[in-house]
Amino acid sequence: MNRLQEKIMKKNIAVVGLGNMGGRIAKRLLQLGHEVGVYDTNKEVLKTFESLGAKPYETLALLGAVHNIILTVLPNADIVRQVVLGTEGLSTGMRPGTVLIEMTTSIPEVTQEIAAALSRQDVMMIDAPVSGGVQKAENGTLTIMVGGNEQTVERAKPILDLIGTQIIHVGRIGAGHTAKALNNLITATTLAITSEALALGVKMGVDAQKLLDVVNSGSGRSAASETKFPQQVLSRAFKPGFSMALMAKDVGIAVDMAHSVNSPVWVSSAVQKLWQYGVDGGRGDMDHTAIALTIEDMAEIEIKPGLI
């Protein structure tokens, strides 16, 4: 990318949705010297970003008319559809040649629907959900799974490189959202089964830390056992990040995808029920590692170091 292209790009980025991930992505772009347009329904958040140097917009249509590289980081597929295609949405202002980088954990079919509608305006779109959590969003080391045609992905790549170190083009439009839902299904499953195993171990008289050491030295290790349990569960921190409700939503997306193509979901269906049970029990707003607390309630034991 030459200097002229870099100068143009720096003036044309906007972020819609300034929550846990979107807010951190916007802050990183600002820290790297980009002029970032922002939109969020929370006016106080917009004021905060204005104080950081961002340009806030009162309407999506105006933001869509001004910026030709727009990142959307929103709670769910229905909100993405409304934000982009609604009567006062981004599409009412978007110009031909604009690139929409959709980073929500969304539903592949909805993504394909939006992309088809935008293509009639000569607006390009890729889906680019992320993995790695808020810390990696802050330091620009996210993993980004991308769906879309090669030309649009290449055009978006200079932006993606600012916020991620692993940029994986997984297939056509919607493939990024498919990969993200399946990744989160695996995460939800390993976290749940690790919680069950450690709760059982404690009930059988095994020290939780010692059992975790065994798991992490053997074939049972996972990101859940190596990172989430030491940092969140055994420490009893449960520091808020990605919520249980969002994880339950993502597991539901994966199970729905499986049903749509008649793929087996014996394990996935059980995992979905467990996560929904945890959310229904009042922990939806807690960090997703709090699924361990739901397991503890049922086991009537606490997963912590020290023999009972």
Side-chain angles (χ1 to χ4, degrees):
M1 181 168 56
N2 61 41
R3 288 185 178 180
L4 178 59
Q5 289 172 319
E6 184 177 2
K7 184 177 181 180
I8 292 171
M9 185 181 77
K10 282 192 173 186
K11 291 180 178 294
N12 281 292
I13 305 173
V15 178
V16 177
L18 302 170
N20 269 342
M21 296 301 289
R24 285 169 170 82
I25 289 170
K27 285 179 182 177
R28 175 162 176 80
L29 293 173
L30 287 167
Q31 290 164 358
L32 292 173
H34 291 265
E35 298 177 19
V36 182
V38 292
Y39 178 90
D40 196 277
T41 55
N42 187 322
K43 302 306 180 185
E44 292 303 314
V45 169
L46 282 182
K47 289 180 182 178
T48 297
F49 272 86
E50 185 175 20
S51 71
L52 295 174
K55 177 176 175 54
Y57 285 85
E58 293 186 2
T59 70
L60 290 163
L62 182 56
L63 181 146
V66 173
H67 296 273
N68 62 14
I69 301 172
I70 303 171
L71 286 64
T72 48
V73 196
L74 299 162
N76 60 54
D78 289 338
I79 294 175
V80 175
R81 184 193 281 114
Q82 184 62 31
V83 162
V84 179
L85 301 181
T87 54
E88 299 179 354
L90 290 169
S91 64
T92 61
M94 282 175 158
R95 298 163 290 160
T98 298
V99 176
L100 176 65
I101 302 175
E102 212 301 282
M103 309 190 81
T104 308
T105 300
S106 191
I107 299 171
E109 291 81 4
V110 174
T111 302
Q112 291 160 359
E113 170 199 331
I114 294 170
L118 292 178
S119 69
R120 294 191 283 273
Q121 298 179 221
D122 292 324
V123 171
M124 296 167 279
M125 177 179 174
I126 63 171
D127 52 312
V130 301
S131 180
V134 293
Q135 184 61 52
K136 290 191 175 184
E138 289 174 356
N139 58 31
T141 58
L142 291 164
T143 293
I144 308 176
M145 48 221 86
V146 185
N149 69 60
E150 192 70 42
Q151 293 80 6
T152 308
V153 173
E154 282 303 307
R155 183 171 172 188
K157 194 170 185 302
I159 302 297
L160 301 179
D161 284 337
L162 299 175
I163 56 181
T165 51
Q166 295 291 324
I167 316 297
I168 305 170
H169 186 190
V170 292
R172 64 182 182 175
I173 192 75
H177 286 142
T178 297
K180 177 60 188 292
L182 297 179
N183 178 75
N184 280 11
L185 172 62
I186 294 170
T187 299
T189 302
T190 55
L191 189 53
I193 193 60
T194 303
S195 298
E196 285 193 357
L198 264 69
L200 176 57
V202 171
K203 291 202 80 169
M204 296 295 293
V206 180
D207 180 82
Q209 182 62 65
K210 297 294 184 183
L211 180 54
L212 191 62
D213 291 342
V214 169
V215 171
N216 286 334
S217 298
S219 59
R221 67 186 181 277
S222 66
S225 66
E226 292 181 329
T227 303
K228 297 178 188 293
F229 261 80
Q231 293 180 359
Q232 295 277 63
V233 182
L234 266 61
S235 69
R236 316 310 290 174
F238 302 108
K239 185 178 179 181
F242 187 69
S243 73
M244 279 190 65
L246 288 176
M247 182 63 85
K249 179 207 73 172
D250 294 352
V251 171
I253 290 173
V255 171
D256 287 345
M257 288 192 309
H259 288 316
S260 73
V261 295
N262 196 30
S263 190
V265 286
W266 291 90
V267 176
S268 303
S269 293
V271 171
Q272 181 185 24
K273 290 176 182 176
L274 174 62
W275 281 86
Q276 192 57 52
Y277 179 80
V279 170
D280 293 343
R283 294 195 171 104
D285 292 333
M286 294 185 68
D287 186 76
H288 65 289
T289 52
I291 192 66
L293 296 175
T294 298
I295 300 293
E296 289 179 349
D297 288 348
M298 292 186 285
E300 298 182 331
I301 200 75
E302 190 172 281
I303 304 169
K304 64 179 183 180
L307 293 174
I308 60 173

